[in-house]
Amino acid sequence: MKRITLLNAIIVFLFLANLCFAQDEVSINFIDVGEGDAILIQAKNNNALIDTGNLLSGPKLAEFLKKNNAVKLKYLIITHPHPDHMAGAFFIVPQFAIGEIFDNGQDLDDNEDIYRWYKRLVRSRKNYRTLKSGDTLNMDGITLNVLWPDKPNLTQSFNANSLVIMLKYKNFRCLLTGDFNNIGEKLLLKKETDLKSNIIKLGHHGYFDATSRDFLEATSPKIAIISVDKNNIRGAPSESTLN
C-alpha cells in the first residue's frame, strides 16, 4: 500500500483518472466511471467488483475489467440500486463469469423500468442474495465486513440503506460507503462500531448530505476519495464537504 506520511487527510477526486492502491498481491482500483461508483478489488487468485457505474460508463467499465485480467469475478456487490451504482451491471453480468452477486435488498418499484429490468437481470439469478451487517466475505486474505444496514429497507432513504463495507487486509483498512448519508451515519455511529480506516470512499459523491464531522472523526482516514464526474450537475462535491 502507498505509504502515507501526511498528518492531514488528503482528498482525491475521481474524475481525472483511475486510481489504484496496491500492496503485495492485493490492489484496490477506484475506477473513473464519471457519474457513479465502481471499485475493483484484486487479490492473488480472485476479483471482486463493488458497484458498476452508470449506463453510459458500462462499456468503459467492461473494457477496464478485461484489460486488468478481471474477466472472472468471485463477487459482484451492488451497494444499493441507484442507476449510477448498478446500471453498468447490464453490461457486466452478461459478459463476465460471476461467482456470487449481492445487493442490499432494497425494495424496488416495478413501475420503474430500470428497476424492473434490474430485478430480472440480477435478483432472478440463483447466485444472488442480500447482504446485511454482520455478514463477511473472504477472498485470498481479504475480508469484506458488512457494517450496514442491519436489515433491508431499514430507513425510507435509499442512500441511508447503502451497504457499508470495511475491507481489511493485514493491518490495512478501507471503508467503502456507497451513497451512505447523514441519516445512516448517525444510526451507525450509535452502534459504536470500529470505523477507523486508512482510506475512505466518501458517501454520496461528496454531497452536502453526507460525511458529517462526527463520522469523519470516527473513521479518521489518511485519504478520502470522492467518486464524482467533473462539473456535476447537482453541485457535488459540496463546499461544506471539502472544508
Side-chain angles (χ1 to χ4, degrees), residues 158-194:
F158 260 50
N159 291 339
N161 295 333
S162 287
L163 291 172
V164 176
I165 298 171
M166 180 70 79
L167 181 155
K168 297 181 181 179
Y169 178 69
K170 298 182 178 179
N171 294 322
F172 172 77
R173 294 160 66 95
C174 177
L175 188 63
L176 305 172
T177 60
D179 269 354
F180 206 47
N181 62 13
N182 290 337
I183 296 171
E185 290 172 10
K186 290 178 181 178
L187 295 172
L188 180 54
L189 287 171
K190 288 181 180 179
K191 297 178 64 176
E192 299 184 351
T193 303
D194 182 7

Short mmCIF file of all heavy atoms in Angstrom, two decimals, residues 158-194:
data_model
loop_
_atom_site.label_atom_id
_atom_site.label_comp_id
_atom_site.label_asym_id
_atom_site.label_seq_id
_atom_site.Cartn_x
_atom_site.Cartn_y
_atom_site.Cartn_z
N PHE A 158 -33.09 5.58 0.28
CA PHE A 158 -32.25 4.65 -0.49
C PHE A 158 -30.78 4.78 -0.08
O PHE A 158 -30.08 3.79 0.09
CB PHE A 158 -32.37 4.97 -1.99
CG PHE A 158 -33.31 4.07 -2.74
CD1 PHE A 158 -34.59 3.83 -2.29
CD2 PHE A 158 -32.91 3.48 -3.92
CE1 PHE A 158 -35.46 3.01 -2.99
CE2 PHE A 158 -33.76 2.65 -4.65
CZ PHE A 158 -35.04 2.41 -4.17
N ASN A 159 -30.32 6.03 0.07
CA ASN A 159 -28.91 6.26 0.34
C ASN A 159 -28.51 5.79 1.73
O ASN A 159 -27.44 5.21 1.92
CB ASN A 159 -28.56 7.74 0.16
CG ASN A 159 -28.64 8.16 -1.29
OD1 ASN A 159 -28.57 7.34 -2.20
ND2 ASN A 159 -28.80 9.46 -1.53
N ALA A 160 -29.37 6.04 2.71
CA ALA A 160 -29.07 5.61 4.07
C ALA A 160 -29.05 4.09 4.19
O ALA A 160 -28.47 3.54 5.13
CB ALA A 160 -30.09 6.19 5.05
N ASN A 161 -29.69 3.41 3.24
CA ASN A 161 -29.71 1.94 3.25
C ASN A 161 -28.53 1.33 2.48
O ASN A 161 -28.45 0.10 2.36
CB ASN A 161 -31.01 1.43 2.64
CG ASN A 161 -32.23 1.80 3.46
OD1 ASN A 161 -32.13 1.98 4.67
ND2 ASN A 161 -33.38 1.91 2.82
N SER A 162 -27.63 2.16 1.97
CA SER A 162 -26.49 1.65 1.22
C SER A 162 -25.66 0.68 2.07
O SER A 162 -25.49 0.89 3.28
CB SER A 162 -25.56 2.80 0.79
OG SER A 162 -26.12 3.55 -0.24
N LEU A 163 -25.14 -0.34 1.42
CA LEU A 163 -24.18 -1.21 2.10
C LEU A 163 -22.94 -0.39 2.46
O LEU A 163 -22.43 0.38 1.65
CB LEU A 163 -23.77 -2.37 1.20
CG LEU A 163 -24.84 -3.43 0.90
CD1 LEU A 163 -24.33 -4.40 -0.17
CD2 LEU A 163 -25.23 -4.19 2.16
N VAL A 164 -22.48 -0.57 3.68
CA VAL A 164 -21.21 -0.01 4.14
C VAL A 164 -20.29 -1.19 4.44
O VAL A 164 -20.64 -2.07 5.24
CB VAL A 164 -21.38 0.88 5.37
CG1 VAL A 164 -20.03 1.37 5.88
CG2 VAL A 164 -22.29 2.06 5.05
N ILE A 165 -19.14 -1.22 3.80
CA ILE A 165 -18.25 -2.39 3.86
C ILE A 165 -16.86 -1.96 4.29
O ILE A 165 -16.29 -1.01 3.74
CB ILE A 165 -18.18 -3.08 2.49
CG1 ILE A 165 -19.57 -3.59 2.08
CG2 ILE A 165 -17.16 -4.22 2.50
CD1 ILE A 165 -19.64 -4.10 0.65
N MET A 166 -16.32 -2.66 5.29
CA MET A 166 -14.94 -2.44 5.71
C MET A 166 -14.07 -3.52 5.09
O MET A 166 -14.24 -4.70 5.38
CB MET A 166 -14.81 -2.47 7.23
CG MET A 166 -13.38 -2.25 7.72
SD MET A 166 -12.79 -0.55 7.46
CE MET A 166 -13.62 0.28 8.85
N LEU A 167 -13.17 -3.10 4.22
CA LEU A 167 -12.19 -4.02 3.63
C LEU A 167 -10.99 -4.08 4.55
O LEU A 167 -10.42 -3.04 4.91
CB LEU A 167 -11.79 -3.55 2.24
CG LEU A 167 -10.79 -4.39 1.45
CD1 LEU A 167 -10.97 -4.14 -0.05
CD2 LEU A 167 -9.34 -4.11 1.83
N LYS A 168 -10.59 -5.29 4.91
CA LYS A 168 -9.43 -5.47 5.77
C LYS A 168 -8.42 -6.40 5.09
O LYS A 168 -8.80 -7.44 4.56
CB LYS A 168 -9.83 -6.08 7.12
CG LYS A 168 -10.75 -5.21 7.96
CD LYS A 168 -11.08 -5.89 9.28
CE LYS A 168 -12.01 -5.05 10.12
NZ LYS A 168 -12.35 -5.73 11.42
N TYR A 169 -7.17 -5.97 5.13
CA TYR A 169 -6.09 -6.82 4.64
C TYR A 169 -4.87 -6.57 5.51
O TYR A 169 -4.34 -5.46 5.52
CB TYR A 169 -5.76 -6.52 3.18
CG TYR A 169 -4.62 -7.35 2.63
CD1 TYR A 169 -4.78 -8.72 2.44
CD2 TYR A 169 -3.40 -6.77 2.34
CE1 TYR A 169 -3.73 -9.48 1.95
CE2 TYR A 169 -2.35 -7.52 1.84
CZ TYR A 169 -2.52 -8.89 1.65
OH TYR A 169 -1.48 -9.64 1.17
N LYS A 170 -4.49 -7.57 6.29
CA LYS A 170 -3.42 -7.41 7.28
C LYS A 170 -3.78 -6.22 8.18
O LYS A 170 -4.81 -6.22 8.81
CB LYS A 170 -2.07 -7.28 6.59
CG LYS A 170 -1.68 -8.52 5.77
CD LYS A 170 -0.33 -8.39 5.13
CE LYS A 170 0.03 -9.67 4.37
NZ LYS A 170 1.36 -9.56 3.70
N ASN A 171 -2.93 -5.19 8.23
CA ASN A 171 -3.19 -4.04 9.09
C ASN A 171 -3.87 -2.88 8.34
O ASN A 171 -4.03 -1.81 8.91
CB ASN A 171 -1.89 -3.53 9.72
CG ASN A 171 -1.29 -4.54 10.67
OD1 ASN A 171 -2.00 -5.22 11.40
ND2 ASN A 171 0.04 -4.65 10.67
N PHE A 172 -4.24 -3.12 7.11
CA PHE A 172 -4.83 -2.07 6.28
C PHE A 172 -6.35 -2.16 6.31
O PHE A 172 -6.93 -3.24 6.28
CB PHE A 172 -4.33 -2.21 4.84
CG PHE A 172 -5.04 -1.30 3.87
CD1 PHE A 172 -4.71 0.04 3.81
CD2 PHE A 172 -6.03 -1.79 3.04
CE1 PHE A 172 -5.36 0.89 2.93
CE2 PHE A 172 -6.69 -0.96 2.16
CZ PHE A 172 -6.35 0.40 2.10
N ARG A 173 -7.00 -0.98 6.35
CA ARG A 173 -8.45 -0.92 6.39
C ARG A 173 -8.94 0.17 5.43
O ARG A 173 -8.43 1.29 5.42
CB ARG A 173 -8.95 -0.62 7.81
CG ARG A 173 -8.65 -1.73 8.80
CD ARG A 173 -8.69 -1.22 10.23
NE ARG A 173 -10.01 -0.79 10.62
CZ ARG A 173 -10.90 -1.55 11.27
NH1 ARG A 173 -10.60 -2.80 11.56
NH2 ARG A 173 -12.06 -1.08 11.63
N CYS A 174 -9.94 -0.19 4.64
CA CYS A 174 -10.54 0.74 3.67
C CYS A 174 -12.05 0.69 3.82
O CYS A 174 -12.65 -0.39 3.70
CB CYS A 174 -10.11 0.38 2.26
SG CYS A 174 -10.85 1.41 0.96
N LEU A 175 -12.68 1.83 4.08
CA LEU A 175 -14.12 1.89 4.30
C LEU A 175 -14.82 2.33 3.01
O LEU A 175 -14.53 3.40 2.47
CB LEU A 175 -14.45 2.86 5.43
CG LEU A 175 -15.91 2.89 5.90
CD1 LEU A 175 -16.32 1.52 6.48
CD2 LEU A 175 -16.13 3.99 6.93
N LEU A 176 -15.74 1.50 2.55
CA LEU A 176 -16.47 1.74 1.30
C LEU A 176 -17.94 1.99 1.66
O LEU A 176 -18.58 1.15 2.30
CB LEU A 176 -16.32 0.53 0.37
CG LEU A 176 -14.86 0.13 0.08
CD1 LEU A 176 -14.79 -1.18 -0.69
CD2 LEU A 176 -14.15 1.25 -0.68
N THR A 177 -18.48 3.12 1.21
CA THR A 177 -19.74 3.60 1.78
C THR A 177 -20.88 3.78 0.79
O THR A 177 -21.95 4.25 1.20
CB THR A 177 -19.50 4.95 2.48
OG1 THR A 177 -19.02 5.89 1.52
CG2 THR A 177 -18.49 4.82 3.61
N GLY A 178 -20.69 3.45 -0.49
CA GLY A 178 -21.79 3.65 -1.43
C GLY A 178 -22.28 5.09 -1.41
O GLY A 178 -21.49 6.04 -1.48
N ASP A 179 -23.58 5.28 -1.25
CA ASP A 179 -24.18 6.62 -1.15
C ASP A 179 -24.60 6.94 0.28
O ASP A 179 -25.50 7.75 0.52
CB ASP A 179 -25.41 6.72 -2.06
CG ASP A 179 -25.08 7.23 -3.45
OD1 ASP A 179 -23.91 7.60 -3.68
OD2 ASP A 179 -25.97 7.23 -4.30
N PHE A 180 -23.96 6.29 1.25
CA PHE A 180 -24.30 6.48 2.66
C PHE A 180 -24.37 7.97 2.99
O PHE A 180 -23.50 8.75 2.61
CB PHE A 180 -23.22 5.82 3.51
CG PHE A 180 -23.68 5.37 4.87
CD1 PHE A 180 -24.86 4.67 5.04
CD2 PHE A 180 -22.90 5.63 5.99
CE1 PHE A 180 -25.26 4.22 6.29
CE2 PHE A 180 -23.28 5.19 7.24
CZ PHE A 180 -24.46 4.50 7.40
N ASN A 181 -25.43 8.37 3.73
CA ASN A 181 -25.64 9.78 4.04
C ASN A 181 -25.72 10.00 5.55
O ASN A 181 -25.53 9.09 6.35
CB ASN A 181 -26.87 10.33 3.32
CG ASN A 181 -28.16 9.62 3.75
OD1 ASN A 181 -28.19 8.88 4.73
ND2 ASN A 181 -29.23 9.84 3.00
N ASN A 182 -26.02 11.25 5.94
CA ASN A 182 -26.02 11.61 7.35
C ASN A 182 -27.05 10.83 8.17
O ASN A 182 -26.83 10.56 9.35
CB ASN A 182 -26.28 13.11 7.51
CG ASN A 182 -25.12 13.96 7.04
OD1 ASN A 182 -23.99 13.49 6.98
ND2 ASN A 182 -25.39 15.20 6.68
N ILE A 183 -28.16 10.47 7.54
CA ILE A 183 -29.18 9.68 8.25
C ILE A 183 -28.59 8.35 8.69
O ILE A 183 -28.70 7.94 9.85
CB ILE A 183 -30.41 9.46 7.35
CG1 ILE A 183 -31.09 10.79 7.01
CG2 ILE A 183 -31.41 8.51 8.02
CD1 ILE A 183 -32.19 10.66 5.97
N GLY A 184 -27.96 7.65 7.75
CA GLY A 184 -27.35 6.38 8.08
C GLY A 184 -26.16 6.53 9.00
O GLY A 184 -25.94 5.70 9.89
N GLU A 185 -25.36 7.58 8.79
CA GLU A 185 -24.17 7.79 9.62
C GLU A 185 -24.54 7.87 11.10
O GLU A 185 -23.88 7.24 11.95
CB GLU A 185 -23.45 9.06 9.19
CG GLU A 185 -22.78 8.97 7.83
CD GLU A 185 -22.24 10.30 7.36
OE1 GLU A 185 -22.21 11.27 8.17
OE2 GLU A 185 -21.85 10.39 6.18
N LYS A 186 -25.58 8.63 11.42
CA LYS A 186 -25.99 8.79 12.81
C LYS A 186 -26.38 7.44 13.42
O LYS A 186 -26.03 7.14 14.57
CB LYS A 186 -27.15 9.77 12.92
CG LYS A 186 -26.77 11.22 12.62
CD LYS A 186 -27.99 12.13 12.70
CE LYS A 186 -27.60 13.56 12.38
NZ LYS A 186 -28.78 14.48 12.41
N LEU A 187 -27.11 6.63 12.66
CA LEU A 187 -27.55 5.33 13.16
C LEU A 187 -26.37 4.38 13.34
O LEU A 187 -26.30 3.64 14.32
CB LEU A 187 -28.58 4.73 12.21
CG LEU A 187 -29.90 5.49 12.09
CD1 LEU A 187 -30.75 4.90 10.97
CD2 LEU A 187 -30.66 5.45 13.41
N LEU A 188 -25.43 4.39 12.40
CA LEU A 188 -24.27 3.52 12.51
C LEU A 188 -23.37 3.94 13.66
O LEU A 188 -22.84 3.08 14.39
CB LEU A 188 -23.48 3.53 11.19
CG LEU A 188 -22.22 2.66 11.14
CD1 LEU A 188 -22.52 1.21 11.51
CD2 LEU A 188 -21.58 2.73 9.75
N LEU A 189 -23.20 5.23 13.87
CA LEU A 189 -22.36 5.69 14.97
C LEU A 189 -22.92 5.26 16.33
O LEU A 189 -22.15 5.01 17.26
CB LEU A 189 -22.22 7.22 14.92
CG LEU A 189 -21.33 7.78 13.80
CD1 LEU A 189 -21.45 9.29 13.72
CD2 LEU A 189 -19.89 7.37 14.00
N LYS A 190 -24.23 5.16 16.44
CA LYS A 190 -24.84 4.73 17.69
C LYS A 190 -24.46 3.29 18.05
O LYS A 190 -24.49 2.90 19.21
CB LYS A 190 -26.36 4.85 17.61
CG LYS A 190 -26.89 6.28 17.65
CD LYS A 190 -28.40 6.32 17.59
CE LYS A 190 -28.92 7.75 17.63
NZ LYS A 190 -30.42 7.80 17.55
N LYS A 191 -24.08 2.49 17.04
CA LYS A 191 -23.70 1.10 17.28
C LYS A 191 -22.28 0.98 17.82
O LYS A 191 -21.87 -0.10 18.24
CB LYS A 191 -23.82 0.29 15.98
CG LYS A 191 -25.22 0.21 15.42
CD LYS A 191 -25.25 -0.56 14.10
CE LYS A 191 -24.84 -2.01 14.28
NZ LYS A 191 -24.95 -2.78 13.02
N GLU A 192 -21.54 2.10 17.83
CA GLU A 192 -20.17 2.14 18.34
C GLU A 192 -19.28 1.11 17.64
O GLU A 192 -18.44 0.46 18.24
CB GLU A 192 -20.15 1.95 19.86
CG GLU A 192 -20.91 3.03 20.61
CD GLU A 192 -20.81 2.91 22.10
OE1 GLU A 192 -20.30 1.88 22.58
OE2 GLU A 192 -21.26 3.84 22.80
N THR A 193 -19.49 0.96 16.34
CA THR A 193 -18.66 0.08 15.51
C THR A 193 -17.31 0.73 15.28
O THR A 193 -17.20 1.95 15.15
CB THR A 193 -19.35 -0.16 14.16
OG1 THR A 193 -20.65 -0.72 14.40
CG2 THR A 193 -18.54 -1.11 13.29
N ASP A 194 -16.27 -0.07 15.26
CA ASP A 194 -14.93 0.44 14.97
C ASP A 194 -14.86 0.80 13.49
O ASP A 194 -14.88 -0.06 12.62
CB ASP A 194 -13.87 -0.60 15.32
CG ASP A 194 -12.45 -0.09 15.08
OD1 ASP A 194 -12.29 1.10 14.77
OD2 ASP A 194 -11.51 -0.90 15.19
#
